[in-house]
Amino acid sequence: MTDAPIAARRSTLRTHHGDTFDDPYEWLRDKESTEVIAHLESENEYTQQELAHLSELRETLFHEIKGRVQETDLSVPTRRGDWWYYSRSEEGAQYGIHCRTAAVADDWTPPVLEPGVPVPGEVVLLDGNVKAEGHEFFSLGAFDTSDDATLLLWSTDFEGDELYTVHVRDLRTGEVLADEIPDTGSAFFTPDGTGIVYTTRDDAWRPDTLWLHRLGTPLADDVRLFHEPDEKFWLGAGITRSRRYLVIAVGSSITSEEHLVDLAGDLTAPPRVVWPRREGVEYSLDHAVVDGEDRLYILHNDGALDFELVAVDASDPQGERRVVVPHEPGRRLLGMDAFRDFATVEYRSEGLERVGLLDYATDAIEDVTFDEPLYSAGVSGNPEWHSPFLRLGYTSFVTPATVYELDLSTRELVLRKQVAVLGGYDPQDYDQRRAWATASDGTLVPISLVWRRSFGEPGDTPRPVHLYGYGSYEHSIDPGFSVARLSELDRGMVFAVAHVRGGGEMGRQWYEDGKLLQKRNTFTDFVACAEQLVADGVTAPSLLVAEGGSAGGLLMGAITNLAPELFAGVLAAVPFVDALTTILDPSLPLTVIEWDEWGDPLHDPDVYEYMKSYTPYENIGDGSTYPRILAVTSLNDSRVAYVEPAKWVAALRAAGARDVLLKCEMVAGHGGVSGRYNSWKERAFELAWILDTVGLA
């Protein structure tokens, strides 16, 4: 048995606004150092040693997850042009296989494909398993076919750093063209199929430039279509469903600006701005043709906290705005998709996602309704400008991922597919509900609960609870099904989500109240949810495990400092636990664009003081009072560097934490390992630790 790795302490002074912090573990940031790599490997070896007693449980959990998945399966085909596109998986294969088969001209009903049964006329476009051969990590980025269906574009990442290399294949001959473009972000074909539009990043990993590459020409001749110099703004691009405009979108966390290029003209012509950027104003658009007139439908928050939808003349977008869906406090408009004859509006009300159909003639919205009290629903996979069906994705904590199509002539919801869960899964064996906690300022914070009925109602007797949280970027943790979660529920665990401020579950104000100089609300809300579950008899501190990842990992570090006695264990995935150090350094990837979310501590002493008061790494208390901690990270993570949890773990041990572990994937990125079997094994590893922590191992 080896002892826990002890990182050497080496003074690194950081001075800002008259405050000096001596960081003893900053030397771990040198990713090229053999000493740093050796330290990370020793952490992995120690974690493996300390959790060796769970090896059998991990194997059991992996086989439970695997046993519930229909390994050979297919997606519901999506029509684009004269083809049905779909992906399929095969038993024993890590990655998906992307295919197509010819469509009958007027038949919009997707063919029913049976798992394991050969598809007539199938054309394999890309087999991820073949592309991944010889690589420990594989991620498929862009995937596009030209409008005439003769060319395929795809991009690959073999490191996990989210820098992709674009490739092109001629589907008529099978030839891979010489047009290979490295270090890209997004990429797609021009409508005429003669070029590729793609983004590249700056040294801070920010997508900042949009390029046009003409097939068959040298990369050196690529045309720069747009460059965003402001380091607070990222860039993205796409083509409207109408195929009329190239939309170039730039945005920060709180401000956006969109530009149009009319594809009926010269793609390299200077784009025209729709609405000039104004600090704090966000908007997004889509294009429609109504009564022969080109319209832009713009979703915005200019004087409308929860957003409103307006229509403008596409030739004069800064002219008169006609309100289509007015602002309604508490109804957060999320998105709008324009089709030939109607549009969809997605919004959030009472904490749930909803979908409505917008009538162009009357501006009336007709809601698509579902029966469950907690669910997630959204528009999904509708590339065609005109179709008699609207495809929707649906799920809940107890309902597996489901694909519906709404028959637009009858308004009937047609079930196209529900993901099979093997092993006799019956949704009636499980239940879900919402509870509420009262925050320290009196705010009611929602908690979602899901459990197996045979163990009784939560609150009958204290039970193990797995409490998840995030609470940043207005990102909502919506109801969703998880095969892996069944292994917890079937052992008596209650799974819960704390919908804390900083997320978007309860509207835009919910987000505003959990960011910048109100960020502490995110942490105290989570503690309040944990305390409420204990007070209601749902659980006890010795039975409560918390989990969060990325910005949710910051939440985990903060609640560990705030209320260590309230939790038996804390699982922090790719955790943003050294937030102040990162946000102070504009040379680090993605730092400057984060200032709208966290504040700018480099130039604002109040932000510096506030962040220093909560950032987990700098606020560790008496480690002997801390719960068990497992931190999981990846060496090639370009969003939250491995050094943050590595420093945090070192500092926790130095403070006397008795059971703190670090697991670092040496070839992976922010999303962890690649491949479905590897992902299942990774989740089995984490679940075994959770179950062991609450005595269910």
Side-chain angles (χ1 to χ4, degrees), residues 125-126 130-131 150-154 156 165-181 215-216:
L125 300 174
L126 184 142
V130 174
K131 297 301 178 187
T150 63
L151 298 173
L152 172 71
L153 175 156
W154 77 97
T156 54
T165 299
V166 172
H167 309 270
V168 180
R169 178 187 298 123
D170 188 323
L171 295 173
R172 295 161 296 190
T173 65
E175 176 192 5
V176 175
L177 306 186
D179 302 85
E180 184 176 291
I181 312 173
L215 294 178

Side-chain angles (χ1 to χ4, degrees), residues 80 85 100 142-154 166-172 177 179 181 186-198 211-216 225 237-240 243 245-246 263 267:
R80 185 179 173 206
Y85 291 84
R100 71 181 183 185
F143 187 84
D144 191 25
T145 53
S146 57
D147 281 6
D148 65 4
T150 63
L151 298 173
L152 172 71
L153 175 156
W154 77 97
V166 172
H167 309 270
V168 180
R169 178 187 298 123
D170 188 323
L171 295 173
R172 295 161 296 190
L177 306 186
D179 302 85
I181 312 173
S186 62
F188 51 88
F189 282 118
T190 58
D192 64 6
T194 64
I196 298 170
V197 177
Y198 66 95
W211 301 88
L212 171 63
H213 170 73
R214 291 296 184 187
L215 294 178
L225 299 177
I239 296 175
T240 58
R243 312 303 281 175
Y245 295 106
L246 169 69
L263 295 176
L267 183 57

Side-chain angles (χ1 to χ4, degrees), residues 541-619:
S542 62
L543 299 173
L544 181 57
V545 173
E547 180 186 6
S550 197
L554 165 63
L555 171 61
M556 293 300 100
I559 60 104
T560 304
N561 291 337
L562 284 173
E565 74 287 345
L566 197 53
F567 305 94
V570 170
L571 171 58
V574 290
F576 187 41
V577 283
D578 190 20
L580 184 54
T581 302
T582 296
I583 298 300
L584 278 168
D585 189 348
S587 70
L588 293 177
L590 306 179
T591 287
V592 174
I593 64 176
E594 294 287 334
W595 285 347
D596 285 333
E597 178 75 18
W598 310 99
D600 176 4
L602 183 61
H603 302 102
D604 189 329
D606 292 335
V607 171
Y608 177 89
E609 182 180 2
Y610 187 75
M611 288 194 70
K612 190 175 181 183
S613 74
Y614 72 69
T615 190
Y617 176 59
E618 297 181 38
N619 288 280

Side-chain angles (χ1 to χ4, degrees), residues 306 325 328 330-335 344-357 365-368 375 377:
D306 281 314
V325 181
E328 182 180 303
R331 180 187 65 180
R332 171 68 163 94
L333 300 184
L334 300 173
T344 62
V345 177
E346 295 180 82
Y347 65 98
R348 184 178 300 281
S349 178
E350 299 176 340
L352 295 179
E353 290 181 299
R354 304 175 192 272
V355 178
L357 304 183
I365 292 182
E366 177 186 352
D367 282 335
V368 181
Y375 65 85

Side-chain angles (χ1 to χ4, degrees), residues 80 147 188-192 238-248 259-269 271-272 285-296 312-317 338-340 383-385:
R80 185 179 173 206
D147 281 6
F188 51 88
F189 282 118
T190 58
D192 64 6
I239 296 175
T240 58
R241 186 178 282 103
S242 64
R243 312 303 281 175
R244 175 64 184 276
Y245 295 106
L246 169 69
V247 181
I248 303 171
H259 302 250
L260 296 181
V261 177
D262 192 333
L263 295 176
D266 182 3
L267 183 57
T268 63
R272 58 189 178 98
L285 64 83
D286 206 345
H287 168 247
V289 180
V290 181
D291 296 330
E293 298 179 355
D294 279 332
R295 290 184 190 172
L296 299 179
V312 299
D313 186 333
S315 65
D316 183 22
F339 297 85
R340 191 189 69 179
E384 285 294 323
W385 180 231

